[in-house]
């Protein structure tokens, strides 16, 4: 299988509007529309290849991340044309997945690799909608 292509880097933030303004200034790009991903308890927006994650409540994974670590790098994402096949390939190679099945993300199917398998970095696999 070919190497996976970089898709995006995600940053946990308290407020998308505040973080987006700074990134727009730095990157010269406009922030996308904010998309709620209710299953993950976040609102998501992109400025170029930077995904901004804002929690919608205190019990979401991103809210807990912000409480423990504050705003900052949350995960790195790689694109795959077939997330299920990639999950099987990586599991077969000994990596530990967080998700037993892909779930719906902001722009397609996603699955996460546990940081224990990737040097302490949360990694997301993304199969973008066509």
């Amino acid at each position: 299988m070919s190497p996976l292509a970089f898709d995006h880097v995600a940053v946990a933030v308290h407020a998308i509007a505040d973080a987006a303004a700074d990134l727009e200034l730095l990157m010269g790009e406009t922030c996308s529309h904010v998309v709620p991903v209710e299953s993950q308890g976040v609102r998501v927006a992109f400025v170029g290849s930077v995904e901004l994650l804002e929690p919608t409540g205190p019990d979401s994974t991103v809210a807990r991340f912000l409480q423990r670590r504050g705003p900052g790098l949350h995960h790195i994402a790689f694109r795959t044309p077939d997330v299920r096949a990639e999950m099987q390939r990586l599991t077969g190679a000994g990596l530990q997945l967080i998700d037993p099945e892909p779930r719906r993300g902001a722009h397609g199917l996603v699955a996460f690799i546990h940081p224990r398998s990737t040097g302490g970095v949360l990694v997301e696999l993304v199969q973008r909608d066509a």
Side-chain angles (χ1 to χ4, degrees):
M1 183 168 261
S2 299
L4 299 178
F6 172 77
D7 191 78
H8 66 270
V9 61
V11 177
V13 299
H14 292 290
I16 286 174
D18 296 339
D22 294 338
L23 285 173
E24 287 176 332
L25 180 64
L26 288 168
M27 298 174 73
E29 299 202 32
T30 304
C31 186
S32 71
H33 294 288
V34 176
V35 176
V37 182
E38 294 177 21
S39 63
Q40 296 180 35
V42 294
R43 293 170 11 104
V44 174
F46 282 83
V47 179
S49 58
V50 177
E51 179 183 35
L52 299 172
L53 304 170
E54 175 188 291
T56 57
D59 295 329
S60 74
T61 304
V62 173
R64 289 190 300 273
F65 177 94
L66 287 167
Q67 289 169 355
R68 285 191 312 270
R69 298 189 177 124
L73 177 66
H74 186 265
H75 67 266
I76 298 172
F78 294 94
R79 189 175 317 128
T80 178
D82 186 342
V83 72
R84 284 182 175 86
E86 195 60 36
M87 291 170 71
Q88 285 183 326
R89 182 180 80 86
L90 296 174
T91 301
L95 273 65
Q96 180 184 356
L97 301 179
I98 292 173
D99 299 297
E101 290 292 323
R103 54 181 144 154
R104 174 68 40 201
H107 299 290
L109 293 177
V110 302
F112 286 90
I113 303 169
H114 199 285
R116 281 191 289 261
S117 294
T118 54
V121 177
L122 181 63
V123 173
E124 179 184 36
L125 303 172
V126 179
Q127 179 182 321
R128 288 194 173 251
D129 292 334

